[in-house]
């Protein structure tokens, strides 16, 4: 303990305080201290004796402390300042010093009571983080809503993708953006993008050359967004991390652009924030991916529906490896594709009719076909059997993603004829390339077909516009599933299980669909 002369009662009072107490001379020398000073700093009495009090503070804080001590005469009673106390092991503990100038033992000294304010700092830091996160989320929300507004006004898929990239890249929150599409080789290819340099999109495509699990490809394969943080520290190939470091990229998110469970592409966004794309930010981007997917499907559908002409493409597939072609080599007649619907990420449910072939033979062929997940007999239609087939990949899926509308698909004796349409002003080359790369399909004819002009109002008056998507799905599942056959080939519970919904929900949608159809027919009679 210091030999500074202080009366016993005062010393006893100061020793009883729970906080460190320092008595400094006007030159900054440490004259007296209580036991709490030793406990907090780690110094013993011999080390503290005669120590310059400023040595207990970080170097950058000593100037302020010296100025305050030099102006002691103007210090008001109870004057407080915040300083960090340095410990022997190098820690910095924030303290609030409540200081008073007194005459003790005929000497003018400064008595300081220091209170540990670490918890207060932690609370303040937490509040600042919350405010910063809230501010960031507000800016993210505004940015995403701005992108959505731009997408709504876009007239083509290319314009939608460009708008998304431009709006997101214009935000200070994001470093670079690109949109990609899948190829038949299951490789994601950037179609458009904006980065920190002109070679950004090319650099992103070149990363396909390396062996690694690309988040963008995983997002397309699973239908789930993929977030990565602290990219330069991840176990990615060195060239991948170098591209990120060179462009100041710390984190990224890959978001599938989905419509009805079908991934039409992927949006990839990068940020310089190492902790970007938390759960709330990912949720905003998942919503954006759904809206962009809907918009892409809408413009493709609108172009086909409202165009007064279409390009009809007819393909021939001689390979018997395709499932329907394999079945047709054993069937008594043509095998036809009737209808398809998405069944989850990159999976489709198809209804096909097969002539004169036992169900067990069809199911056996399905088990040997790599892209077929399941095949199940559901009903009969005269001499034909109706089968529900779930595939992980198919020509129909590839052409739908490329913007084509299937017209017919028929297989006879191992050879398949496929007909699809694209809007008259659309480039058919992506559809032709997709068909050729998937099953080496040969384009045998291409011609323009005139279609009557249908206004939006006329289209909305159609029967289909009276049905919601769920009602239409219930109607189709019921029809192809054999629910309307007599006797029934499937019960309502069977159809509901197929749709992964409850029986009451299926009945609800089916009843409303039937009511809409009857109303449309009766109105037609009245007109």
């Amino acid at each position: 303990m210091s030999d500074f002369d202080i009366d016993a009662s005062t010393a006893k009072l100061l020793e009883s305080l729970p906080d460190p107490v320092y008595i400094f001379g006007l030159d900054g020398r440490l004259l007296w201290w209580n036991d709490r000073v030793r406990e907090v700093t780690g110094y013993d009495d011999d080390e503290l004796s005669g120590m310059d009090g400023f040595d207990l503070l970080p170097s950058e804080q000593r100037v302020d402390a010296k100025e305050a001590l030099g102006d002691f005469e103007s210090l008001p009673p109870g004057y407080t300042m915040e300083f960090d106390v340095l410990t022997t092991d190098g820690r910095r503990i924030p303290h609030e010093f409540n200081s008073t100038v007194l005459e003790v033992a005929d000497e003018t000294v400064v008595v300081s009571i220091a209170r540990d304010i670490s918890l207060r700092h932690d609370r303040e830091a937490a509040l600042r983080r919350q405010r910063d996160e809230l501010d960031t989320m507000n800016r993210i929300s505004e940015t995403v809503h701005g992108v959505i507004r731009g997408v709504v006004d876009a007239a083509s898929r290319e314009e939608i993708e460009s708008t998304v990239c431009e709006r997101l890249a214009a935000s200070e929150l994001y470093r670079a953006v690109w949109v990609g599409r899948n190829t038949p080789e299951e490789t994601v290819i950037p179609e458009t993008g904006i980065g920190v340099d002109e070679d950004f999109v090319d650099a992103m495509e070149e990363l396909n050359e390396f062996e690694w699990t690309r988040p963008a490809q995983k997002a397309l394969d699973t239908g789930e967004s993929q977030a990565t943080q602290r990219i330069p520290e991840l176990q990615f190939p060195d060239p991948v991390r170098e591209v990120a470091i060179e462009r100041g990229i710390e984190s990224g998110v890959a978001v599938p652009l989905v419509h009805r469970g079908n991934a039409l592409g992927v949006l990839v966004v990068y940020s310089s924030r190492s902790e970007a794309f938390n759960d709330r930010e990912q949720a905003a981007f998942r919503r954006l991916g759904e809206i962009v997917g809907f918009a892409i499907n809408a413009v493709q559908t609108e172009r086909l529906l409202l165009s007064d002409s279409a390009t009809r493409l007819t393909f021939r597939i001689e390979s018997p490896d395709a499932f329907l072609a394999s079945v047709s080599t054993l069937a008594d007649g043509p095998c036809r594709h009737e209808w398809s619907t998405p069944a989850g990420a990159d999976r489709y449910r198809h209804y096909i009719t097969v002539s004169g072939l036992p169900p067990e033979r069809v199911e056996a062929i399905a088990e040997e076909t790599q892209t077929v997940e399941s095949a199940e007999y559901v009903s009969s239609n005269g001499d034909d059997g109706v089968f529900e087939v779930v595939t992980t990949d198919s020509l129909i899926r590839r052409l739908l993603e490329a913007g084509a509308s299937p017209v017919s698909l028929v297989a006879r004796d191992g050879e398949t004829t496929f007909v699809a349409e694209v809007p008259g002003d659309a480039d058919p080359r992506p559809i032709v390339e997709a068909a050729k790369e998937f099953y080496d399909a040969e384009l045998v004819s291409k011609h323009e077909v005139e279609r009557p002009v249908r206004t939006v109002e006329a289209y909305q008056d159609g029967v289909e516009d009276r049905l919601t998507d769920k009602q239409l799905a219930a109607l189709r599942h019921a029809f192809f599933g054999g629910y309307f056959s007599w006797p029934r080939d499937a019960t309502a519970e069977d159809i509901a299980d197929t749709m992964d919904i409850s029986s009451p929900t299926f009945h609800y949608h089916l009843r409303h669909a039937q009511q809409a159809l009857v109303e449309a027919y009766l109105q037609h009679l009245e007109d």
Side-chain angles (χ1 to χ4, degrees), residues 6 59 73 94 96 152 166 180 184 214 263 286 337 357:
I6 183 172
S59 58
E73 292 180 346
E96 181 180 73
V152 169
E166 291 168 2
R214 188 161 192 165
R286 282 195 297 271
H337 165 270
L357 194 62

Side-chain angles (χ1 to χ4, degrees), residues 414-441:
E415 183 176 290
T416 306
T417 300
F418 184 82
V419 180
E421 287 185 355
V422 294
D425 59 347
D427 183 1
R429 283 179 296 180
I431 288 86
V432 175
E433 292 172 1
K436 182 173 181 58
E437 291 174 357
F438 190 65
Y439 272 133
D440 196 25

